[in-house]
Amino acid sequence: MNWQIEDAAVLIIYVLIIVFLSVKFKAKHWEEVFISRKKLQWWIAGASILMFWWNPANDMMMMGILIEEGYVGSWLVHNKLIAVGIAPIIFAPLWARLKFVSDNHFILFRFSGVGAKVLHQFRALYVGYVVVVFLSSFGIIGMSKMLITVFDLSYENSLLISFSILALYLLKNTFKQKVRTDILHAFIYLATLVITCMFIFNEFGGFGGILSDLKQNYENQIKLVPESTSFGEDGMLSTFLVFVLVQWWSTNVLDSSSPEAQRYMSTGNSREAFMAAFFPVIVGVFIMFFVSLIQDTLMLSYLKQDSMPDSESWYIEGTLSYLPSGFRMLALIAFMAGFITTIEAFINWGASFLVDYYRTYVKKVESVNYQKISYMSMYLILSSAILVVIFNDSLLSLQKLIFSISAGVGPVFVLRWFWWRVNAWAQLSAMFSSLFFALSFDLAYENSLVFQTFIDDISGMMSIGYFPLKLVVLTILVTFSWITVMYMTPADDTAILKRFVKQVQPGGIWPKHWQSGAVKLSKKLFLAILYAIINILPIFFIWEFKYGVWWKAVGLLTLFFILIVYILRRIKT
């Protein structure tokens, strides 16, 4: 692509603003690398969570899914919206009552004995390093594909440049600087979406013609749910049911034990944490709407051309091709900012685990320069992620791997807050067995003809694909494993449990005289169900707006706002 002087001017302005924010909000204490020591306003935390959610790599992966499988395949990603409401209603207020440098320290606060120490060390190294390396690799793949598309680089050179850019950004990757930089990135991203839509629709003569063309010529591509009432040979209904009935609770860490927890713990109180979690959902509808329109346009243009470029990279390539100079650089910065924001968040979060491990088990003295150790940990994660990306360049395959090694762990992360019987050995067995069974399943399928034939026969009989079948099997095995281990091992120390309940007041299944806040939890569960409906409604609203009946779209949008108002009036944190 040809770059003009306007593009250079936009880039220079952006770099100067980043330098200013980095100098102004420089961390003065090592703990500020990972958490805010002062109260973080809800709208700042919310904007940071928003940018963490909207990673362009997800949009690129979705672009590939839409082109290859159509809207039905998108439920691999959209199913997690069912669980999004659990965090604002239930867990964000609970995290706000805790003030840990790393959310991994929650383990030593909630559990007791040898099991707590073993779990704390295992999760610090496994999640803080191994899992975070894979999560960071996901964003780096998207970032590298963007550089290949824009600058016609080789894959190796794109990785080298990606590493160099991220290495420079890590020099400012403290929590205090990052959340404020995220505000700038959120503004750039939202503005870019609107501007991109304007130029793309102008190029195609309005979105009405685009949608009409898709409806007439690519009807199968835009089906939101399988129309067949039977499983059929294509297995789409079976796959759809696994995604919406199993995957959302099985493969996701539902209690926000993620970079989101850092932001919730940095807010002033439970109400602020709720608002920080609620803000991205409202703005997310706006983003989802415009991204969907852009993706539909790009899908149409891709399907009509003779050449077949990389379907995931097409989201970047197609978008930039319709923008004039100046705005093209703005879009490139928006994409770059989205990648960097998410990668930074994961690396910072993972490094907090490693530093917490180092302080707890290696060197506990305060004379150690923990800020230096923090940055060394971040560079270790980044370097390892680059090595992973060298051997894998598919966003979808990496995402499926991440889902596989977390299958079945979701329930135990939720129940540990609300059920006294869940102990450290239960969580440890869930995490370890998920990893073990996921790797064993793939190895057995690839190397054992007997096992491969058995799985293929079940797939054919149930009309279900390999990946969704694997998710179901892993979920059953992991659930059986952690429940068995839980009842074979002793419960946690009563004093530790009482301390947890007294400070957090989570509600749930505790001895009656502990005053655990059980009444609040029952009300919040009802609101969480409504919130799940709120998060799913925009998908159907946007689809009805584009391809369905207008009055259904209006009705869904009206219901969306009614439920939001109801929740805001009823929520008490």
Side-chain angles (χ1 to χ4, degrees), residues 140-190:
I140 294 173
I141 291 173
M143 186 173 174
S144 298
K145 286 191 173 187
M146 180 188 70
L147 293 174
I148 293 171
T149 299
V150 175
F151 300 107
D152 195 24
L153 301 173
S154 66
Y155 188 61
E156 293 75 15
N157 288 336
S158 72
L159 291 182
L160 179 62
I161 294 176
S162 296
F163 176 83
S164 301
I165 293 173
L166 290 168
L168 290 173
Y169 262 88
L170 289 188
L171 292 175
K172 73 153 198 71
N173 193 18
T174 67
F175 187 82
K176 189 176 182 179
Q177 292 170 322
K178 174 168 175 46
V179 293
R180 286 159 177 82
T181 304
D182 289 346
I183 298 173
L184 170 66
H185 289 163
F187 176 79
I188 293 174
Y189 185 64
L190 293 174

Side-chain angles (χ1 to χ4, degrees), residues 355-457:
V355 173
D356 183 49
Y357 175 88
Y358 187 84
R359 291 183 72 241
T360 306
Y361 303 105
V362 183
K363 288 190 176 181
K364 305 178 184 180
V365 294
E366 289 299 326
S367 60
V368 174
N369 187 340
Y370 287 115
Q371 190 158 350
K372 182 179 179 181
I373 299 298
S374 301
Y375 284 105
M376 289 175 61
S377 300
M378 285 190 271
Y379 281 104
L380 172 64
I381 294 171
L382 174 61
S383 301
S384 303
I386 292 293
L387 291 177
V388 171
V389 175
I390 290 175
F391 297 100
N392 178 75
D393 63 353
S394 171
L395 292 168
L396 184 58
S397 63
L398 185 58
Q399 182 66 81
K400 287 183 175 181
L401 172 63
I402 294 171
F403 282 148
S404 296
I405 63 176
S406 59
V409 304
V412 74
F413 274 82
V414 171
L415 291 173
R416 65 182 185 166
W417 291 80
F418 308 115
W419 187 16
W420 68 273
R421 193 60 185 85
V422 176
N423 58 14
W425 297 112
Q427 181 176 331
L428 179 64
S429 61
M431 296 174 64
F432 181 79
S433 62
S434 181
L435 173 65
F436 174 78
F437 286 131
L439 298 180
S440 299
F441 194 98
D442 288 334
L443 287 173
Y445 186 82
E446 293 173 0
N447 297 287
S448 172
L449 181 60
V450 175
F451 185 77
Q452 185 181 99
T453 303
F454 174 70
I455 294 299
D456 289 343
D457 288 343

Side-chain angles (χ1 to χ4, degrees), residues 42 64 122 178 215 267 318 340 405 408 454 458 555:
W42 68 264
F122 174 76
K178 174 168 175 46
K215 288 174 66 175
T267 56
I340 292 173
I405 63 176
F454 174 70
I458 295 178

Side-chain angles (χ1 to χ4, degrees), residues 326-342:
F327 290 116
R328 185 169 50 207
M329 178 56 72
L330 181 66
L332 181 61
I333 290 173
F335 287 135
M336 185 71 73
F339 289 125
I340 292 173
T341 295
T342 304

Side-chain angles (χ1 to χ4, degrees), residues 531-550:
Y531 208 5
I533 296 173
I534 284 176
N535 282 281
I536 289 295
L537 280 177
I539 297 176
F540 292 96
F541 154 69
I542 293 171
W543 190 89
E544 287 290 348
F545 175 83
K546 295 186 300 184
Y547 304 112
V549 183
W550 70 267

Side-chain angles (χ1 to χ4, degrees), residues 473-540:
V473 173
L474 293 179
T475 298
I476 294 172
L477 292 175
V478 171
T479 302
F480 176 80
S481 298
W482 74 259
I483 291 178
T484 301
V485 170
M486 181 181 70
Y487 280 111
M488 292 178 62
T489 52
D492 289 298
D493 181 77
T494 301
I496 297 295
L497 294 176
K498 282 186 175 181
R499 180 189 65 179
F500 172 77
V501 170
K502 181 179 179 181
Q503 180 168 335
V504 180
Q505 290 289 294
I509 306 174
W510 307 91
K512 293 181 180 179
H513 62 281
W514 284 15
Q515 297 180 351
S516 63
V519 176
K520 289 185 179 180
L521 178 61
S522 62
K523 292 180 179 179
K524 286 186 176 182
L525 286 174
F526 172 68
L527 294 178
I529 293 173
L530 291 184
Y531 208 5
I533 296 173
I534 284 176
N535 282 281
I536 289 295
L537 280 177
I539 297 176
F540 292 96

